[in-house]
Amino acid sequence: MYLLIDQPVHRLNQGSRFLLWAMRSWATAASAGTGPFAALEPAFEGMGVATALPAFNTVMAMLDSDGLEKLGLAPIGSTRIGEDEAILLTLWSASLDPASHGRRDGTLALLVAEEAVSPIACALDEATPILAEIGLAPAGIATHDNQEAGR
């Protein structure tokens, strides 16, 4: 997580950059009173990960409704990764590795009501393999090697 805080968004790999954009877009749509699912559907379809949208929407909605504190997501065009965004990106990345699920779930327990931890974890586990198809990667920061692999 600390590797991500205040980093430029352009350093994220493609999948993590899309995920950050989607989280920011979801929050923007929700705060504007428009349906986040409908607002994000064209982008998820365009990236070929439309099947991840219902679970993604569940994660975001539950983080919003069951959060112990309001998460701070930057506006869509912000060029730096905020602290809460780094935490969320790390949660998504941790879902790629079953060995990290305990740490992920422990972090979730600090963010949301106890009864929300398991449903959010299940939704993360449902969406993450689909998002991995577009390059969501552990840590999310692009290196020369994984940038080359994504071309």
Side-chain angles (χ1 to χ4, degrees):
M1 173 189 93
Y2 295 109
L3 294 173
L4 297 172
I5 295 174
D6 203 34
Q7 289 297 312
V9 170
H10 71 82
R11 289 202 53 218
L12 292 173
N13 64 21
Q14 176 185 358
S16 296
R17 209 170 34 247
F18 175 77
L19 183 58
L20 178 61
W21 172 87
M23 291 187 301
R24 288 175 173 180
S25 295
W26 191 99
T28 298
S31 68
T34 59
F37 189 98
L40 293 173
E41 193 169 25
F44 273 70
E45 286 178 1
M47 291 296 288
V49 292
T51 56
L53 182 54
F56 172 84
N57 189 63
T58 296
V59 169
M60 295 303 294
M62 291 189 77
L63 286 168
D64 187 49
S65 65
D66 296 301
L68 300 177
E69 293 183 21
K70 181 86 171 144
L71 291 173
L73 297 172
I76 294 167
S78 294
T79 60
R80 296 277 176 184
I81 302 165
E83 182 176 352
D84 288 349
E85 294 168 335
I87 291 168
L88 295 178
L89 287 168
T90 301
L91 287 174
W92 285 96
S93 293
S95 295
L96 290 167
D97 177 16
S100 298
H101 287 186
R103 187 180 74 235
R104 175 203 63 192
D105 295 352
T107 301
L108 275 172
L110 298 172
L111 298 175
V112 297
E114 182 179 336
E115 62 274 6
V117 172
S118 182
I120 293 172
C122 288
L124 284 164
D125 290 341
E126 184 179 332
T128 303
I130 300 163
L131 295 171
E133 295 173 14
I134 60 166
L136 178 64
I141 292 289
T143 63
H144 179 69
D145 293 338
N146 68 18
Q147 283 179 333
E148 291 298 318
R151 286 188 186 173

